[in-house]
Amino acid sequence: MKTLWQMIKTFVLFTGCTILFYYSLIWFHREYENYHRYDEPQGSAVKVSTTETTSTDWLERFILFYRDGE
């Protein structure tokens, strides 16, 4: 009887923690669903990357590929 009672307590605890975890994931999802990650930056933001317009020969790119180990 004591073993059955401990099994029931463990099952209820596991089920309760699982439900709590599930609803916390739903809450986090709803919280960040409307978060706009890709908005234009505000203030004095600086552009980080630039595009290169230099064209390279395919052989040079191939050698660079093997030299850098990419």
Side-chain angles (χ1 to χ4, degrees):
M1 190 68 172
K2 187 176 181 180
T3 307
L4 181 64
W5 175 246
Q6 286 188 353
M7 285 176 51
I8 291 172
K9 284 193 319 187
T10 304
F11 176 75
V12 168
L13 181 65
F14 177 75
T15 304
C17 288
T18 303
I19 290 170
L20 180 67
F21 179 70
Y22 176 75
Y23 282 107
S24 65
L25 286 178
I26 290 174
W27 180 73
F28 279 118
H29 176 71
R30 287 183 184 162
E31 184 72 27
Y32 289 106
E33 189 173 27
N34 296 325
Y35 183 69
H36 302 287
R37 301 183 277 216
Y38 303 112
D39 288 346
E40 289 289 324
Q42 310 239 341
S44 60
V46 178
K47 188 171 184 175
V48 175
S49 65
T50 60
T51 57
E52 287 188 32
T53 58
T54 60
S55 64
T56 56
D57 187 35
W58 70 271
L59 184 61
E60 291 176 23
R61 285 293 293 168
F62 189 70
I63 292 170
L64 179 69
F65 179 80
Y66 279 109
R67 188 184 72 206
D68 289 344
E70 293 180 354

